Every structure is written in structure tokens, then in C-alpha cells.
Amino acid sequence: MRNKRKWIPMVLMAVLLGALIICYILIKSYNEKQEGQQESEAESIQIASVTADEVSGLSVEWEGNKLSFTKEEDTWHYDGDKDFPVNQEAMENLIGKFENVNAVRELEDPQGLEEYGLEECSEVIALTMQDGTTRTFYVGNKNAITSDYYIYVDSPEKIYTTDTGIISGCQFKLYDMAQISTFPAISESSVEQVKVLQGSSSLLLKRDDGDEDTWKYQMSGEKEEEADGTAVSALISQVSSLAYNGYLDYNCQDMTQYGLEKPAASITIDYTENEAAESDTEVASESGTEADSETETEIKKVPRQVVLYIGGQDESGNYYVKISDSNEVHTMSESMVNAWLDAKGDDFKQEQES
């Protein structure tokens, strides 16, 4: 009995020691996880403040590419091509992010730059100021716990962690900063006729000259016939949905790379557009001595035409497209284009009454 009592303190001590070890591991793990929360609760540190009026240039190095822009007479230009259609609003919004660049914390005892991905930076952002000086932001790794980035400005003497929006804001490709070009807005009711051409095969849908609610269809080499109105409406209604989903080149000089030098197909849409026209009308004056002139606004329907040329497809199935009288190359979704390319004359035949 005495021997058992001698063992009891030893067992209790072993249990207590094990509990202390487990507590230590848990507390250590908890403290590491809490680091992110403690950093976010810390007071923000301003590491840069630049107003838009001070900036005359921006360059960004990201994913192995370098893009630079210069502001001249309140207009931003892409340095690689001054004619490139830079989205001015997007540039101004981006520069505005530099007015208040804050850090979550400053590293108290930083190790070598390689520890933070700052020896070979993942992103370098440089602002050229009106006075000729430069402010450069060097961006390193993303902290796995806090999701903040390591960064230093101009000199690595001080390294910070930050969640500033300038980092993601400057992760763009050239055409992300282009002024968006859109496909012409065409309503179903304004369409007069559509012609789909694929090689030697063609499909023509047109309104009847004497009745705008009646449609005719004609396949290549065949006679014109009255079409099923419901079937035509189902296809023509998709005119208003035609839209680009990608912008590739604002002034393409080599259409062969997109299969647009000799397009595989084309869609020609003839439609009308309302246009206001002012006219002067003479009316008698109240005194009856001379006529007064009044200006009236008259709405006229003006004929328009757009030709959509269809080339090859990208790896996602999107078609390369361009419109007549333009060197811009865009992409359009496969389903949107195929709705027209898959249309056949039989789709529009009227049902024969038995």
C-alpha cells in the first residue's frame, strides 16, 4: 500500500508535465495565428502620400512585363505607342490610390531581403514626379498568415507589411488599361435585313418591302420565300446581345494571326438609327406684318450597316472578330457567334397546313 502511495506523486507530476507541454504547444500555435490579427489592429503607418497633380509618369513591372505611361497636358499616353487608346479615367483612379499608402506594420528586425521576396521583387511600381524625382515601390512575397505583402519604398532600410490597393491595382496587362470599344448597339426592331456568309454558302433574312412584320428568307442559289416569323424573331432578337468579351488589338496590322485576313464567315446587318434633325418653319407673327421662324426637331430614320468578320478561335473557343472599316480585333463568345453560323434555311420554313 505504501509503495502505491509513493507512485502517486510521480504519476501526477508526469501528467502535469504532459499537460504543460500540450499547453505550451497550443499557446505557441495560437500566438502565431494571432500575429495577423495583432498586425491588423495595429495603428496604420503612412509610407507614402502622393497627389495626382504631382505625378507625370507611371511604370509597372509585373509577371516579367514592363508597362510605362506618361502624362502630357492632362492626358495619359502609353510610352510604347502614343496612339494607344488609354482609358483616362482608369489611369486617374489608379494614380489616386497613391494619395494615402499605408503599412500595417514595420518589421522591427528584418532579415535579408530574400526572406521576404524583396531580392527579386514580384512587382516594382515607379512614379515619376513633376519635379523629375521618382518614388519606387518594391513588392515582395505575400504573408501566408495575414495575406499582406512585404514592401519597401525607395530604400530597403525600412521594410513593411501592407494590404494597400496599389499592389493589386497595378497587376494589369496593357489592354486592361485600354478605352473599351463596344459593338454597335442595334435593337431588334431596327433591323431591316441580315446576311450570313460562310464560304460559298449564304443565308439572307429580310423584311418584306410591303409589310415590315413579314420576313423573307433565301439560301444561296434558291428562291426567296416567306419565313416563319417566330423563328426569325428568335434569331434577330439576338442582335441586341452581340457584344465583345475581349480586346486584343486596337490597330492590327497582321490579321493572319487571327484568321481575319480571309475571314471564314461574315454577318452583315442592315438597320436604321433614329437621328434628330432640326428644321426652320415660318409662322405668322402676332402683328401680322412679317413671318417669324421657329425651329422644329424631326426624328429621321437613317440607314446603317455593320459587317462582322469572323476568324479563328482561341483556346477557350472564343472567335476572333472585327468589324468593317476598323483594324480593331476583339473576341466574341462561341455560343453568340454560332447562333448565326448554325442557322439554316430549313429553320425558317413555314409549316405546311395539312
Side-chain angles (χ1 to χ4, degrees):
M1 192 72 176
R2 289 180 180 177
N3 289 337
K4 289 183 179 180
R5 290 178 179 175
K6 288 181 180 179
W7 283 101
I8 289 174
M10 297 177 66
V11 172
L12 290 175
M13 289 179 65
V15 171
L16 180 60
L17 179 61
L20 289 173
I21 292 173
I22 293 172
C23 287
Y24 171 77
I25 294 172
L26 291 174
I27 290 172
K28 182 180 179 182
S29 176
Y30 176 79
N31 286 338
E32 289 177 350
K33 291 181 179 179
Q34 286 295 102
E35 180 183 351
Q37 182 177 345
Q38 292 169 358
E39 290 178 358
S40 63
E41 292 175 351
E43 184 178 354
S44 295
I45 306 167
Q46 188 176 73
I47 57 176
S49 179
V50 179
T51 63
D53 292 339
E54 296 178 272
V55 181
S56 64
L58 167 72
S59 72
V60 175
E61 293 182 52
W62 178 61
E63 290 193 339
N65 297 314
K66 182 175 181 178
L67 299 173
S68 59
F69 302 84
T70 301
K71 189 175 185 180
E72 298 177 357
E73 297 181 354
D74 295 327
T75 301
W76 284 96
H77 300 283
Y78 169 51
D79 291 347
D81 180 358
K82 197 169 183 178
D83 294 326
F84 182 84
V86 176
N87 186 322
Q88 300 298 315
E89 183 178 359
M91 283 297 301
E92 291 296 341
N93 289 339
L94 178 57
I95 298 300
K97 295 180 182 292
F98 291 87
E99 290 189 5
N100 192 22
V101 183
N102 292 327
V104 175
R105 71 183 179 108
E106 179 184 345
L107 302 189
E108 294 182 359
D109 187 20
Q111 306 300 310
L113 294 179
E114 66 278 2
E115 293 291 324
Y116 311 105
L118 290 168
E119 188 172 44
E120 295 182 5
C121 298
S122 61
E123 188 175 351
V124 179
I125 308 163
L127 295 178
T128 301
M129 315 305 289
Q130 293 285 1
D131 61 6
T133 59
T134 303
R135 300 300 308 274
T136 306
F137 301 78
Y138 298 87
V139 182
N141 295 336
K142 192 175 186 178
N143 186 292
I145 298 174
T146 67
S147 295
D148 296 333
Y149 286 89
Y150 294 103
I151 189 173
Y152 71 85
V153 183
D154 296 331
S155 170
E157 293 178 359
K158 292 184 178 181
I159 298 175
Y160 305 90
T161 61
T162 182
D163 58 359
T164 176
I166 68 169
I167 295 174
S168 59
C170 288
Q171 293 174 348
F172 59 80
K173 296 179 180 179
L174 178 59
Y175 275 83
D176 294 329
M177 299 303 291
Q179 183 64 47
I180 296 175
S181 179
T182 59
F183 188 81
I186 306 172
S187 65
E188 177 186 356
S189 61
S190 70
V191 177
E192 295 297 325
Q193 73 172 35
V194 178
K195 184 174 185 179
V196 181
L197 180 63
Q198 299 183 73
S200 59
S201 175
S202 66
L203 167 66
L204 175 67
L205 299 170
K206 57 181 282 190
R207 290 187 190 272
D208 188 277
D209 294 335
D211 182 3
E212 64 176 16
D213 294 325
T214 300
W215 283 85
K216 301 289 185 69
Y217 78 93
Q218 182 180 23
M219 292 295 294
S220 53
E222 299 180 8
K223 67 178 183 177
E224 188 178 277
E225 296 184 38
E226 187 171 334
D228 179 270
T230 301
V232 173
S233 181
L235 182 61
I236 297 297
S237 65
Q238 298 189 48
V239 166
S240 59
S241 301
L242 288 173
Y244 305 130
N245 64 358
Y247 194 2
L248 303 179
D249 198 329
Y250 86 98
N251 186 23
C252 183
Q253 300 300 308
D254 180 16
M255 293 293 177
T256 57
Q257 60 184 314
Y258 302 112
L260 287 166
E261 184 181 26
K262 295 180 180 179
S266 66
I267 303 171
T268 302
I269 305 170
D270 290 283
Y271 63 104
T272 59
E273 195 171 67
N274 290 335
E275 190 173 272
E278 293 185 349
S279 60
D280 292 333
T281 303
E282 290 188 351
V283 295
S285 66
E286 293 182 3
S287 63
T289 56
E290 60 181 41
D292 293 331
S293 178
E294 285 187 356
T295 300
E296 294 183 351
T297 300
E298 182 182 0
I299 302 299
K300 294 183 178 181
K301 286 188 175 182
V302 180
R304 305 287 190 202
Q305 183 183 81
V306 60
V307 183
L308 178 68
Y309 294 105
I310 301 161
Q313 292 177 272
D314 65 16
E315 57 186 14
S316 299
N318 298 306
Y319 283 96
Y320 300 118
V321 299
K322 71 178 289 293
I323 61 174
S324 51
D325 302 323
S326 173
N327 284 332
E328 291 185 0
V329 177
H330 300 261
T331 55
M332 193 172 279
S333 74
E334 183 177 33
S335 59
M336 189 173 290
V337 173
N338 281 346
W340 298 90
L341 300 188
D342 293 343
K344 301 292 184 288
D346 290 344
D347 301 335
F348 307 103
K349 284 185 176 179
Q350 290 185 323
E351 293 185 6
Q352 300 294 325
E353 295 182 3
S354 57

